């Protein structure tokens, strides 16, 4: 969960999000060093009276300022491509869940089970219990087992939506007529919140996402109870 005045990312809950945070820090350090160097050169040029007439014509300087940016781009591109391929790979998922976006709620279907599907609506402010979070709580949470690869199939039935859970490093567009795929793996139990991240109409801010990551034993008990109640 984010907290007031937070400047950084939420705590990582998945290996992908950990890699994204490392990549963010890596890239930010490169940007900081470049900005510091440029600022130092600008200050130097504004404050010193010494000049060298042949500096701007030196072939060595031109070689450096051509090769150095190319090397920096490679240092950024290689880890970025690595993470992109990691996010696309799905190795024998334990479970597949289909999320469908509607105006303005989500519906979920556990495709490995015969009759396990439900709608997930935001709980109105006046119906919240003490301790629940405004605009983030739902009547039916998505319960998933932790430490297991889960495949999410994401689409929409009306307009563009986006299924996003920041602490898991997930953000996938829900497009009508198209089925997008994402992988999630939680390294620890907990309740994780997200929201639709694509402007989808007047109630765009009222379709939250709540994932409850539990042990496999509890998940199997929950799925049996849900199937019996449907």
């Amino acid at each position: 969960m984010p907290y007031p005045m937070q400047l950084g990312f939420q705590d990582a809950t998945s290996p992908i999000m950990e890699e994204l945070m490392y990549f963010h820090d890596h890239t930010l350090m490169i940007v900081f060093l470049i900005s510091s160097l440029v600022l130092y050169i600008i200050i130097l040029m504004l404050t010193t009276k010494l000049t060298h007439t042949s500096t701007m014509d030196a072939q060595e300087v031109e070689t450096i300022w051509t090769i150095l940016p190319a090397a920096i781009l490679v240092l950024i591109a290689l880890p970025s491509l690595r993470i992109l391929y990691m996010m696309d790979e799905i190795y024998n998922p334990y479970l597949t869940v289909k999320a469908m976006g509607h105006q303005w709620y989500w519906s979920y279907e556990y495709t490995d089970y015969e009759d396990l599907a439900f709608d997930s609506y935001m709980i109105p402010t006046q119906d919240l219990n003490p301790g629940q979070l405004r605009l983030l709580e739902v009547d039916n949470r998505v319960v998933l087992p932790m430490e297991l690869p889960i495949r999410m199939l994401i689409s929409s039935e009306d307009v563009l939506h986006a299924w996003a859970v920041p602490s898991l490093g997930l953000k996938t567009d829900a497009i009508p007529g198209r089925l997008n795929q994402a992988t999630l793996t939680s390294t620890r139990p907990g309740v994780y919140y997200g929201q639709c991240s694509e402007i989808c109409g007047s109630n765009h801010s009222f379709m939250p996402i709540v994932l409850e990551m539990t042990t496999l034993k509890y998940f199997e008990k929950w799925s049996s109870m849900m199937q019996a109640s449907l």
Side-chain angles (χ1 to χ4, degrees):
M1 272 297 299
Y3 52 85
M5 304 299 292
Q6 179 176 341
L7 297 178
F9 293 109
Q10 297 181 27
D11 292 339
T13 313
S14 68
I16 292 296
M17 188 58 193
E18 290 178 3
E19 293 289 338
L20 288 171
M21 291 177 70
Y22 294 147
F23 176 67
H24 168 267
D25 295 342
H26 166 75
T27 309
L28 194 64
M29 187 56 66
I30 293 176
V31 171
F32 176 75
L33 292 174
I34 293 173
S35 303
S36 300
L37 177 61
V38 171
L39 182 63
Y40 171 73
I41 293 173
I42 291 174
I43 293 173
L44 207 62
M45 293 178 66
L46 292 175
T47 55
T48 183
K49 296 182 179 180
L50 299 176
T51 58
H52 197 291
T53 56
S54 62
T55 298
M56 302 305 294
D57 297 326
Q59 192 170 358
E60 294 82 2
V61 175
E62 292 182 2
T63 304
I64 291 172
W65 75 40
T66 301
I67 294 176
L68 191 60
I72 292 172
L73 288 175
V74 170
L75 289 175
I76 295 174
L78 290 180
S80 174
L81 290 172
R82 173 175 167 270
I83 295 174
L84 282 174
Y85 279 108
M86 286 176 60
M87 294 174 72
D88 273 344
E89 291 292 336
I90 296 182
Y91 296 109
N92 191 23
Y94 175 80
L95 190 66
T96 299
V97 180
K98 185 178 180 181
M100 294 292 292
H102 307 266
Q103 288 184 312
W104 288 270
Y105 65 96
W106 294 97
S107 60
Y108 299 96
E109 179 184 350
Y110 290 70
T111 59
D112 299 281
Y113 294 83
E114 187 174 351
D115 292 311
L116 184 50
F118 53 85
D119 296 330
S120 181
Y121 289 88
M122 186 194 75
I123 299 177
T125 304
Q126 62 271 19
D127 296 334
L128 290 174
N129 295 322
Q132 290 187 321
L133 302 169
R134 178 177 172 270
L135 300 182
L136 287 176
E137 297 291 349
V138 295
D139 55 356
N140 289 310
R141 292 177 174 177
V142 180
V143 179
L144 296 171
M146 66 176 189
E147 296 180 338
L148 291 171
I150 310 295
R151 174 169 54 197
M152 294 296 305
L153 301 177
I154 300 160
S155 186
S156 171
E157 284 199 352
D158 37 48
V159 298
L160 292 177
H161 300 280
W163 200 82
V165 183
S167 57
L168 289 167
L170 288 174
K171 183 179 179 181
T172 306
D173 287 339
I175 303 171
R178 176 169 180 166
L179 206 60
N180 287 331
Q181 182 174 270
T183 311
L184 68 90
T185 303
S186 176
T187 55
R188 61 178 185 266
V191 178
Y192 305 104
Y193 295 89
Q195 288 179 303
C196 176
S197 297
E198 187 77 42
I199 297 176
C200 56
S202 59
N203 289 339
H204 156 69
S205 57
F206 304 114
M207 46 186 303
I209 300 158
V210 183
L211 300 184
E212 185 175 342
M213 309 302 295
T214 65
T215 60
L216 181 59
K217 183 178 180 180
Y218 178 85
F219 169 76
E220 290 176 344
K221 184 187 298 184
W222 172 85
S223 60
S224 300
M225 291 174 56
M226 287 292 291
Q227 284 181 295
S229 64
L230 294 175

